[in-house]
Each structure stands twice: as C-alpha cells, then as structure tokens.
Amino acid sequence: MNKTCRIVNLQDEYSQIYKDNLPFLKAGAPNKMNALRDDAFELFNVKGIPSNKVEEYKYTNLQPFFKGTFDIAFSSESAIQNNDHSFTCGVPNLDTHNVFLINGWFSSQDATDKLPEGVVVGSIREKAADYPEVFEKYYGEQSNDGDAMAAMNTAFAQDGAFIYVPKGVVVDKPIQLVNIMIGEQDRLVFQRNLIVIEENAQAKIMLCDHTMSAQKFVINSLSEVFAATNSVLDLYNIQNQHNLTTQVASVYVNQKKHSNVLTNNLTLHSGITRNNIRVTLDDEYCESHVYGLYLNDKNQHVDNYSFIDHAQPHCESFELFKGVMDDSSSAAFTGRVMVRPDAQKTNAYQSNNNLLLTDNAKINSKPQLEIYADDVKCSHGATVGQLDEEAMFYLRSRGIDENESRILLMYAFAYEVIEKIRVEALKENIRSLVEKRFRGEYDKCDSCVICGQQGVSASCL
C-alpha cells in the first residue's frame, strides 16, 4: 500500500497516520518488530519531532522538514512500483557484495555473488523469519535510549538490511548497502538495519544513500550494530544526496571484549543532515574509532551528535570530526564522552576541527567529557578557523594560482579523516569526490548508475 499524507500538525497527524495504517505496518513484519511498535510510538508521540528547544537537538530544528505532503510506502510493492530499473554501483577497483534497497525496502542483491559460508545478507523482515534466534536477541536492544527519532523509526520501519557474520568468519570483500531514493512525489522513508558480527569475525560495511529523482525526500534511518568478542568491523556511512533531502541517520554500536570498531560518517552533499552516533563500550578492552567529515555549501546544514559510553574499564576511544563550511551553510557538532565509575584505565580522545570559508558560514561545536572514574586519560577540544594566509602566500609564491591554492589547503585539512578509511579503493574514490566538491563540481559518481526505460543517469552520491 502507498499512501499520500499531508502533514501540517505534526503530532496529531503522525498519530492518525500510525493508527490508520497499523495493520499495514504489521503485515508480514517479524513478531518482535511489531511487539515494539506501540511502546515506541507512545514515546515518540510524547516527545514529538525534536525542535531546537530539545537540548540534544539544540542546533537543528527538524519540525519544519517533517511537514508537507509525502508518499509513504507501507508495502514493498508500493515502494518499488514504477521503478523498473536495474542498478549498478561499482567504484573503480572496488569489489563488493552489493545489496540494493529502494525507498528503504529491500530490492535485490547480486545474483552471482557468493558470500562466505554462514554469512547472511538480505531483507530484515525475511531474514528475521529465517534466523529468529539472532533477530529476537538483538533487534531493538540497543536503540531504546529514549531518542524521539529512534522511537519514530521503531514505530514506522518495516524493512531494511539484515547482516549476520557468524563466529570466526572473515568477509574479505566489503558489503555495500545501496539505498535508492526515487519517486514521482515527495517521499517519507523509514529504513532499519541490523548488523551482527559474532566472535572472532570480521567485516567491512558501506552504507550508501542515493537520490535518483528531484523530489523532496525525508529519511529516518537507524542501524543497530553488535560487535562480539574479538570482532573487527568497519562501518562507512556515505551521504551524498541532493539539496532537497532531509536525513536523520542513527547508528547504535554495542561492543564486547577486545572488539575493534571503526565508523566513518562522510557527509559530502545533502540538504539537512542529522547524524546520531552512539557507541557503548560494554566490556573490557574494547577499541572504538569514530570519524566524520562534512562538507557544506549554499544553505546546507549538517548536525553530528555522538555519545561514546565507556561503561567498562580498559577501553579506548578515538574520535575526530572535521568540517568545511562555505557560502551560508552551517553545521553543528556535539560530542559527549562518558566515563562511568567502573571504567578505570580508560583512554578517550575527542577532537572537532572546522574551517569557515566565508563570513556567513557557521559552526556550533560542543565537545563534552563526563568523567566519574579517577584513573583515566581523556582529552577533548575544538577549533574553528579560516584558511591559513601564510600557507596561501607560500603556495602563491610557488606559482600556484589562488583558486588552486585554496583547494590544496582545503584538501589538506580534510585529508586526516579520509586517511582513516581502511578500504583502499573506497579511499581513492572519496579522495576524488572531495576534490570535485572543493572545485565546485556537482559530484556525480559516474560508476553508480540507474538504468531504466528513460535511459541512464548518474546518481548524485
């Protein structure tokens, strides 16, 4: 079922949409997914779409963007209808297991691709039925922290990706989840992902969002990630959408003993973006790397909120976010690191660095440390500045023109985050896209295309 909803009075109308469509929301969905809906919606209904009166959303008022007339797909058929296309997405020299979703619903994966034995990738609603013990154990267990947008996702989400890597399995090729946003009307999209990496397993996962048509898209996506003992996981979230896109992307990570998790949020192009990154170091000797890069121009806005919870002793976290703001764009960074009373021998490092290219660009940076243990090493800081005039003079004196000098300095600033990417072919592609972005080129990925009855058009990564 596909329904067009006009939303003006936020809470009343979302409440009515939920009540009117609850049978469709529950149809074919896993039992636990349905069991959590009502309580999640009650929480969402009490809290509402966050405005900047909510402390954690102080710098981003989401309410205006969740108003409007939207198509909402309450079935896979309505999400994918009139989208008789085939998709290819291949970064040069990057060999991946490709999985495609359309408007938040699982669509297809490479038919000829062979995953390592025991690895499961597919639709969350289908794989939940095939692997109920995994789904029941993990779904909804990490994201029930009271956040209104997470609660909204739990209430409305029906599909997404299920990734399970069993004990001792190493997935050499990255797994790429490509979520295609397409439609003839403005769309409201909900997507839910569940990622479970078992003991001694390893994987690299790329989340890629693409807007393929010019309509307005409002996206609420949530990924729950569980990294068991001695597991290693890289999670790259690549956001590169058009200016009419509003996305709230939440990632919840739970780590067990000796696990090593790297997350890297790369916001290369979008309209309004809110990233929620919440990491719980839930056992001893965990290591967490949390990185982010955001590039804004025109009136774009990116808000990165991170919460790293050192719940157990002998853990390390390393956090670095960098942003470049041009024109009248804006950004926000709120980084909260909590060291709980029992989390002795914690090492936690946090940094946020920002580059403002114009007088109208704006950044609000709020790094925070909450330390309740006495044997720790923790640091945090933030910087805001402009291009270094001395460095610019040095480059100009070597015969490099002003525009090229600016691009070199901006790229050098972003370089540190790009170098944290541990997939070489992806790193090279991001380098190229960042350089194009700084040159003012609309960064279309020529290797990601949609092939339909109307021909071929490059996606805007």
Side-chain angles (χ1 to χ4, degrees), residues 78-106:
S78 56
I80 301 174
Q81 69 178 353
N82 301 321
N83 294 317
D84 184 20
H85 306 90
S86 61
F87 302 97
T88 61
C89 189
V91 175
N93 302 316
L94 178 62
D95 187 16
T96 63
H97 302 285
N98 289 328
V99 178
F100 296 97
L101 301 98
I102 299 179
N103 298 321
W105 286 79
F106 180 83

PDB file of all heavy atoms in Angstrom, residues 78-106:
ATOM      1  N   SER A  78       4.605  -0.964  -3.209  1.00  0.00           N
ATOM      2  CA  SER A  78       4.397   0.468  -3.410  1.00  0.00           C
ATOM      3  C   SER A  78       5.700   1.246  -3.347  1.00  0.00           C
ATOM      4  O   SER A  78       5.831   2.292  -3.966  1.00  0.00           O
ATOM      5  CB  SER A  78       3.408   1.002  -2.369  1.00  0.00           C
ATOM      6  OG  SER A  78       3.857   0.727  -1.064  1.00  0.00           O
ATOM      7  N   ALA A  79       6.690   0.730  -2.604  1.00  0.00           N
ATOM      8  CA  ALA A  79       7.992   1.402  -2.559  1.00  0.00           C
ATOM      9  C   ALA A  79       8.733   1.275  -3.876  1.00  0.00           C
ATOM     10  O   ALA A  79       9.444   2.191  -4.303  1.00  0.00           O
ATOM     11  CB  ALA A  79       8.839   0.818  -1.427  1.00  0.00           C
ATOM     12  N   ILE A  80       8.561   0.128  -4.524  1.00  0.00           N
ATOM     13  CA  ILE A  80       9.344  -0.178  -5.715  1.00  0.00           C
ATOM     14  C   ILE A  80       8.546   0.016  -6.998  1.00  0.00           C
ATOM     15  O   ILE A  80       9.079  -0.027  -8.087  1.00  0.00           O
ATOM     16  CB  ILE A  80       9.883  -1.627  -5.616  1.00  0.00           C
ATOM     17  CG1 ILE A  80      10.746  -1.755  -4.345  1.00  0.00           C
ATOM     18  CG2 ILE A  80      10.718  -2.025  -6.811  1.00  0.00           C
ATOM     19  CD1 ILE A  80      11.211  -3.161  -4.044  1.00  0.00           C
ATOM     20  N   GLN A  81       7.249   0.260  -6.901  1.00  0.00           N
ATOM     21  CA  GLN A  81       6.402   0.362  -8.089  1.00  0.00           C
ATOM     22  C   GLN A  81       6.879   1.478  -9.010  1.00  0.00           C
ATOM     23  O   GLN A  81       7.409   2.488  -8.552  1.00  0.00           O
ATOM     24  CB  GLN A  81       4.944   0.619  -7.685  1.00  0.00           C
ATOM     25  CG  GLN A  81       4.693   1.997  -7.076  1.00  0.00           C
ATOM     26  CD  GLN A  81       3.233   2.221  -6.748  1.00  0.00           C
ATOM     27  OE1 GLN A  81       2.394   1.403  -7.093  1.00  0.00           O
ATOM     28  NE2 GLN A  81       2.938   3.329  -6.085  1.00  0.00           N
ATOM     29  N   ASN A  82       6.682   1.255 -10.285  1.00  0.00           N
ATOM     30  CA  ASN A  82       7.096   2.204 -11.326  1.00  0.00           C
ATOM     31  C   ASN A  82       8.606   2.454 -11.323  1.00  0.00           C
ATOM     32  O   ASN A  82       9.084   3.429 -11.879  1.00  0.00           O
ATOM     33  CB  ASN A  82       6.354   3.540 -11.184  1.00  0.00           C
ATOM     34  CG  ASN A  82       4.861   3.373 -11.277  1.00  0.00           C
ATOM     35  OD1 ASN A  82       4.362   2.575 -12.082  1.00  0.00           O
ATOM     36  ND2 ASN A  82       4.126   4.115 -10.453  1.00  0.00           N
ATOM     37  N   ASN A  83       9.337   1.563 -10.672  1.00  0.00           N
ATOM     38  CA  ASN A  83      10.793   1.692 -10.659  1.00  0.00           C
ATOM     39  C   ASN A  83      11.410   0.459 -11.297  1.00  0.00           C
ATOM     40  O   ASN A  83      12.165  -0.277 -10.682  1.00  0.00           O
ATOM     41  CB  ASN A  83      11.294   1.864  -9.219  1.00  0.00           C
ATOM     42  CG  ASN A  83      10.836   3.176  -8.618  1.00  0.00           C
ATOM     43  OD1 ASN A  83      10.888   4.198  -9.278  1.00  0.00           O
ATOM     44  ND2 ASN A  83      10.378   3.142  -7.380  1.00  0.00           N
ATOM     45  N   ASP A  84      11.037   0.226 -12.542  1.00  0.00           N
ATOM     46  CA  ASP A  84      11.525  -0.944 -13.263  1.00  0.00           C
ATOM     47  C   ASP A  84      12.918  -0.632 -13.806  1.00  0.00           C
ATOM     48  O   ASP A  84      13.122  -0.368 -14.979  1.00  0.00           O
ATOM     49  CB  ASP A  84      10.555  -1.282 -14.400  1.00  0.00           C
ATOM     50  CG  ASP A  84      10.976  -2.552 -15.126  1.00  0.00           C
ATOM     51  OD1 ASP A  84      11.739  -3.342 -14.540  1.00  0.00           O
ATOM     52  OD2 ASP A  84      10.523  -2.745 -16.267  1.00  0.00           O
ATOM     53  N   HIS A  85      13.857  -0.627 -12.902  1.00  0.00           N
ATOM     54  CA  HIS A  85      15.218  -0.270 -13.265  1.00  0.00           C
ATOM     55  C   HIS A  85      16.173  -1.347 -12.785  1.00  0.00           C
ATOM     56  O   HIS A  85      15.883  -2.116 -11.890  1.00  0.00           O
ATOM     57  CB  HIS A  85      15.632   1.054 -12.606  1.00  0.00           C
ATOM     58  CG  HIS A  85      14.696   2.193 -12.862  1.00  0.00           C
ATOM     59  ND1 HIS A  85      13.626   2.467 -12.043  1.00  0.00           N
ATOM     60  CD2 HIS A  85      14.684   3.126 -13.844  1.00  0.00           C
ATOM     61  CE1 HIS A  85      12.991   3.532 -12.502  1.00  0.00           C
ATOM     62  NE2 HIS A  85      13.620   3.947 -13.587  1.00  0.00           N
ATOM     63  N   SER A  86      17.320  -1.381 -13.385  1.00  0.00           N
ATOM     64  CA  SER A  86      18.416  -2.172 -12.832  1.00  0.00           C
ATOM     65  C   SER A  86      19.479  -1.193 -12.353  1.00  0.00           C
ATOM     66  O   SER A  86      19.632  -0.108 -12.882  1.00  0.00           O
ATOM     67  CB  SER A  86      19.008  -3.107 -13.898  1.00  0.00           C
ATOM     68  OG  SER A  86      19.529  -2.350 -14.970  1.00  0.00           O
ATOM     69  N   PHE A  87      20.180  -1.569 -11.306  1.00  0.00           N
ATOM     70  CA  PHE A  87      21.147  -0.680 -10.697  1.00  0.00           C
ATOM     71  C   PHE A  87      22.536  -1.297 -10.737  1.00  0.00           C
ATOM     72  O   PHE A  87      22.695  -2.506 -10.559  1.00  0.00           O
ATOM     73  CB  PHE A  87      20.777  -0.407  -9.234  1.00  0.00           C
ATOM     74  CG  PHE A  87      19.416   0.182  -9.063  1.00  0.00           C
ATOM     75  CD1 PHE A  87      18.331  -0.620  -8.743  1.00  0.00           C
ATOM     76  CD2 PHE A  87      19.221   1.544  -9.204  1.00  0.00           C
ATOM     77  CE1 PHE A  87      17.077  -0.072  -8.587  1.00  0.00           C
ATOM     78  CE2 PHE A  87      17.954   2.092  -9.043  1.00  0.00           C
ATOM     79  CZ  PHE A  87      16.887   1.283  -8.733  1.00  0.00           C
ATOM     80  N   THR A  88      23.509  -0.481 -10.975  1.00  0.00           N
ATOM     81  CA  THR A  88      24.892  -0.917 -10.805  1.00  0.00           C
ATOM     82  C   THR A  88      25.606   0.134  -9.978  1.00  0.00           C
ATOM     83  O   THR A  88      25.335   1.322 -10.092  1.00  0.00           O
ATOM     84  CB  THR A  88      25.614  -1.078 -12.155  1.00  0.00           C
ATOM     85  OG1 THR A  88      25.648   0.190 -12.830  1.00  0.00           O
ATOM     86  CG2 THR A  88      24.919  -2.106 -13.030  1.00  0.00           C
ATOM     87  N   CYS A  89      26.468  -0.308  -9.146  1.00  0.00           N
ATOM     88  CA  CYS A  89      27.258   0.616  -8.329  1.00  0.00           C
ATOM     89  C   CYS A  89      28.631   0.011  -8.144  1.00  0.00           C
ATOM     90  O   CYS A  89      28.775  -0.990  -7.445  1.00  0.00           O
ATOM     91  CB  CYS A  89      26.596   0.849  -6.972  1.00  0.00           C
ATOM     92  SG  CYS A  89      27.383   2.169  -6.043  1.00  0.00           S
ATOM     93  N   GLY A  90      29.614   0.566  -8.809  1.00  0.00           N
ATOM     94  CA  GLY A  90      30.944  -0.006  -8.709  1.00  0.00           C
ATOM     95  C   GLY A  90      32.020   1.055  -8.730  1.00  0.00           C
ATOM     96  O   GLY A  90      32.294   1.652  -9.766  1.00  0.00           O
ATOM     97  N   VAL A  91      32.597   1.320  -7.583  1.00  0.00           N
ATOM     98  CA  VAL A  91      33.752   2.204  -7.534  1.00  0.00           C
ATOM     99  C   VAL A  91      34.914   1.485  -8.219  1.00  0.00           C
ATOM    100  O   VAL A  91      35.106   0.289  -8.010  1.00  0.00           O
ATOM    101  CB  VAL A  91      34.114   2.525  -6.069  1.00  0.00           C
ATOM    102  CG1 VAL A  91      35.398   3.347  -5.997  1.00  0.00           C
ATOM    103  CG2 VAL A  91      32.957   3.272  -5.400  1.00  0.00           C
ATOM    104  N   PRO A  92      35.673   2.171  -9.059  1.00  0.00           N
ATOM    105  CA  PRO A  92      36.784   1.503  -9.749  1.00  0.00           C
ATOM    106  C   PRO A  92      37.692   0.757  -8.779  1.00  0.00           C
ATOM    107  O   PRO A  92      38.073   1.281  -7.736  1.00  0.00           O
ATOM    108  CB  PRO A  92      37.519   2.670 -10.420  1.00  0.00           C
ATOM    109  CG  PRO A  92      36.465   3.713 -10.621  1.00  0.00           C
ATOM    110  CD  PRO A  92      35.542   3.588  -9.450  1.00  0.00           C
ATOM    111  N   ASN A  93      37.985  -0.488  -9.135  1.00  0.00           N
ATOM    112  CA  ASN A  93      38.875  -1.359  -8.355  1.00  0.00           C
ATOM    113  C   ASN A  93      38.302  -1.784  -7.009  1.00  0.00           C
ATOM    114  O   ASN A  93      39.019  -2.360  -6.196  1.00  0.00           O
ATOM    115  CB  ASN A  93      40.241  -0.683  -8.132  1.00  0.00           C
ATOM    116  CG  ASN A  93      40.916  -0.316  -9.433  1.00  0.00           C
ATOM    117  OD1 ASN A  93      40.936  -1.094 -10.375  1.00  0.00           O
ATOM    118  ND2 ASN A  93      41.463   0.898  -9.489  1.00  0.00           N
ATOM    119  N   LEU A  94      37.026  -1.493  -6.768  1.00  0.00           N
ATOM    120  CA  LEU A  94      36.408  -1.912  -5.519  1.00  0.00           C
ATOM    121  C   LEU A  94      35.458  -3.070  -5.794  1.00  0.00           C
ATOM    122  O   LEU A  94      34.450  -2.915  -6.464  1.00  0.00           O
ATOM    123  CB  LEU A  94      35.648  -0.755  -4.869  1.00  0.00           C
ATOM    124  CG  LEU A  94      34.910  -1.096  -3.567  1.00  0.00           C
ATOM    125  CD1 LEU A  94      35.905  -1.535  -2.495  1.00  0.00           C
ATOM    126  CD2 LEU A  94      34.110   0.107  -3.078  1.00  0.00           C
ATOM    127  N   ASP A  95      35.801  -4.226  -5.264  1.00  0.00           N
ATOM    128  CA  ASP A  95      34.999  -5.432  -5.429  1.00  0.00           C
ATOM    129  C   ASP A  95      34.164  -5.610  -4.164  1.00  0.00           C
ATOM    130  O   ASP A  95      34.715  -5.808  -3.078  1.00  0.00           O
ATOM    131  CB  ASP A  95      35.920  -6.630  -5.656  1.00  0.00           C
ATOM    132  CG  ASP A  95      35.146  -7.885  -6.002  1.00  0.00           C
ATOM    133  OD1 ASP A  95      33.959  -7.770  -6.366  1.00  0.00           O
ATOM    134  OD2 ASP A  95      35.724  -8.986  -5.895  1.00  0.00           O
ATOM    135  N   THR A  96      32.833  -5.529  -4.278  1.00  0.00           N
ATOM    136  CA  THR A  96      31.968  -5.574  -3.108  1.00  0.00           C
ATOM    137  C   THR A  96      30.831  -6.571  -3.296  1.00  0.00           C
ATOM    138  O   THR A  96      30.474  -6.937  -4.416  1.00  0.00           O
ATOM    139  CB  THR A  96      31.345  -4.193  -2.820  1.00  0.00           C
ATOM    140  OG1 THR A  96      30.519  -3.812  -3.931  1.00  0.00           O
ATOM    141  CG2 THR A  96      32.407  -3.143  -2.583  1.00  0.00           C
ATOM    142  N   HIS A  97      30.255  -6.985  -2.167  1.00  0.00           N
ATOM    143  CA  HIS A  97      28.964  -7.667  -2.176  1.00  0.00           C
ATOM    144  C   HIS A  97      27.893  -6.573  -2.191  1.00  0.00           C
ATOM    145  O   HIS A  97      27.752  -5.829  -1.219  1.00  0.00           O
ATOM    146  CB  HIS A  97      28.796  -8.534  -0.928  1.00  0.00           C
ATOM    147  CG  HIS A  97      29.858  -9.570  -0.747  1.00  0.00           C
ATOM    148  ND1 HIS A  97      29.911 -10.727  -1.504  1.00  0.00           N
ATOM    149  CD2 HIS A  97      30.911  -9.633   0.116  1.00  0.00           C
ATOM    150  CE1 HIS A  97      30.941 -11.462  -1.109  1.00  0.00           C
ATOM    151  NE2 HIS A  97      31.568 -10.826  -0.141  1.00  0.00           N
ATOM    152  N   ASN A  98      27.156  -6.441  -3.281  1.00  0.00           N
ATOM    153  CA  ASN A  98      26.201  -5.341  -3.436  1.00  0.00           C
ATOM    154  C   ASN A  98      24.787  -5.755  -3.063  1.00  0.00           C
ATOM    155  O   ASN A  98      24.293  -6.793  -3.504  1.00  0.00           O
ATOM    156  CB  ASN A  98      26.213  -4.831  -4.885  1.00  0.00           C
ATOM    157  CG  ASN A  98      27.503  -4.089  -5.212  1.00  0.00           C
ATOM    158  OD1 ASN A  98      28.097  -3.458  -4.345  1.00  0.00           O
ATOM    159  ND2 ASN A  98      27.924  -4.172  -6.456  1.00  0.00           N
ATOM    160  N   VAL A  99      24.145  -4.923  -2.255  1.00  0.00           N
ATOM    161  CA  VAL A  99      22.754  -5.107  -1.860  1.00  0.00           C
ATOM    162  C   VAL A  99      22.021  -3.803  -2.141  1.00  0.00           C
ATOM    163  O   VAL A  99      22.505  -2.723  -1.791  1.00  0.00           O
ATOM    164  CB  VAL A  99      22.649  -5.450  -0.353  1.00  0.00           C
ATOM    165  CG1 VAL A  99      21.203  -5.597   0.057  1.00  0.00           C
ATOM    166  CG2 VAL A  99      23.426  -6.721  -0.040  1.00  0.00           C
ATOM    167  N   PHE A 100      20.856  -3.896  -2.776  1.00  0.00           N
ATOM    168  CA  PHE A 100      20.124  -2.700  -3.169  1.00  0.00           C
ATOM    169  C   PHE A 100      18.776  -2.626  -2.453  1.00  0.00           C
ATOM    170  O   PHE A 100      18.058  -3.627  -2.342  1.00  0.00           O
ATOM    171  CB  PHE A 100      19.903  -2.680  -4.680  1.00  0.00           C
ATOM    172  CG  PHE A 100      21.180  -2.596  -5.465  1.00  0.00           C
ATOM    173  CD1 PHE A 100      21.771  -3.738  -5.985  1.00  0.00           C
ATOM    174  CD2 PHE A 100      21.821  -1.382  -5.651  1.00  0.00           C
ATOM    175  CE1 PHE A 100      22.962  -3.677  -6.683  1.00  0.00           C
ATOM    176  CE2 PHE A 100      23.012  -1.308  -6.350  1.00  0.00           C
ATOM    177  CZ  PHE A 100      23.582  -2.451  -6.877  1.00  0.00           C
ATOM    178  N   LEU A 101      18.475  -1.436  -1.954  1.00  0.00           N
ATOM    179  CA  LEU A 101      17.171  -1.151  -1.375  1.00  0.00           C
ATOM    180  C   LEU A 101      16.575   0.025  -2.123  1.00  0.00           C
ATOM    181  O   LEU A 101      17.300   0.883  -2.653  1.00  0.00           O
ATOM    182  CB  LEU A 101      17.286  -0.819   0.117  1.00  0.00           C
ATOM    183  CG  LEU A 101      17.911  -1.904   1.007  1.00  0.00           C
ATOM    184  CD1 LEU A 101      19.387  -1.608   1.241  1.00  0.00           C
ATOM    185  CD2 LEU A 101      17.188  -2.006   2.334  1.00  0.00           C
ATOM    186  N   ILE A 102      15.251   0.071  -2.198  1.00  0.00           N
ATOM    187  CA  ILE A 102      14.562   1.187  -2.832  1.00  0.00           C
ATOM    188  C   ILE A 102      13.608   1.793  -1.813  1.00  0.00           C
ATOM    189  O   ILE A 102      12.738   1.095  -1.271  1.00  0.00           O
ATOM    190  CB  ILE A 102      13.791   0.753  -4.089  1.00  0.00           C
ATOM    191  CG1 ILE A 102      14.749   0.179  -5.129  1.00  0.00           C
ATOM    192  CG2 ILE A 102      13.021   1.933  -4.684  1.00  0.00           C
ATOM    193  CD1 ILE A 102      14.068  -0.290  -6.404  1.00  0.00           C
ATOM    194  N   ASN A 103      13.805   3.070  -1.543  1.00  0.00           N
ATOM    195  CA  ASN A 103      12.961   3.787  -0.583  1.00  0.00           C
ATOM    196  C   ASN A 103      12.851   3.043   0.744  1.00  0.00           C
ATOM    197  O   ASN A 103      11.782   2.986   1.361  1.00  0.00           O
ATOM    198  CB  ASN A 103      11.571   4.033  -1.191  1.00  0.00           C
ATOM    199  CG  ASN A 103      11.634   4.897  -2.439  1.00  0.00           C
ATOM    200  OD1 ASN A 103      12.408   5.847  -2.507  1.00  0.00           O
ATOM    201  ND2 ASN A 103      10.843   4.550  -3.445  1.00  0.00           N
ATOM    202  N   GLY A 104      13.969   2.460   1.173  1.00  0.00           N
ATOM    203  CA  GLY A 104      14.017   1.799   2.463  1.00  0.00           C
ATOM    204  C   GLY A 104      13.636   0.332   2.459  1.00  0.00           C
ATOM    205  O   GLY A 104      13.797  -0.344   3.475  1.00  0.00           O
ATOM    206  N   TRP A 105      13.179  -0.190   1.318  1.00  0.00           N
ATOM    207  CA  TRP A 105      12.757  -1.593   1.219  1.00  0.00           C
ATOM    208  C   TRP A 105      13.785  -2.399   0.439  1.00  0.00           C
ATOM    209  O   TRP A 105      14.294  -1.941  -0.582  1.00  0.00           O
ATOM    210  CB  TRP A 105      11.398  -1.696   0.521  1.00  0.00           C
ATOM    211  CG  TRP A 105      10.245  -1.252   1.367  1.00  0.00           C
ATOM    212  CD1 TRP A 105       9.858   0.040   1.626  1.00  0.00           C
ATOM    213  CD2 TRP A 105       9.318  -2.085   2.059  1.00  0.00           C
ATOM    214  NE1 TRP A 105       8.751   0.049   2.428  1.00  0.00           N
ATOM    215  CE2 TRP A 105       8.394  -1.241   2.714  1.00  0.00           C
ATOM    216  CE3 TRP A 105       9.174  -3.472   2.182  1.00  0.00           C
ATOM    217  CZ2 TRP A 105       7.347  -1.728   3.486  1.00  0.00           C
ATOM    218  CZ3 TRP A 105       8.126  -3.966   2.949  1.00  0.00           C
ATOM    219  CH2 TRP A 105       7.227  -3.105   3.596  1.00  0.00           C
ATOM    220  N   PHE A 106      14.053  -3.593   0.927  1.00  0.00           N
ATOM    221  CA  PHE A 106      14.990  -4.475   0.232  1.00  0.00           C
ATOM    222  C   PHE A 106      14.493  -4.754  -1.179  1.00  0.00           C
ATOM    223  O   PHE A 106      13.330  -5.092  -1.400  1.00  0.00           O
ATOM    224  CB  PHE A 106      15.139  -5.792   0.997  1.00  0.00           C
ATOM    225  CG  PHE A 106      16.095  -6.762   0.353  1.00  0.00           C
ATOM    226  CD1 PHE A 106      17.457  -6.659   0.567  1.00  0.00           C
ATOM    227  CD2 PHE A 106      15.622  -7.761  -0.472  1.00  0.00           C
ATOM    228  CE1 PHE A 106      18.335  -7.543  -0.032  1.00  0.00           C
ATOM    229  CE2 PHE A 106      16.493  -8.658  -1.075  1.00  0.00           C
ATOM    230  CZ  PHE A 106      17.862  -8.546  -0.854  1.00  0.00           C
TER     231      PHE A 106
END
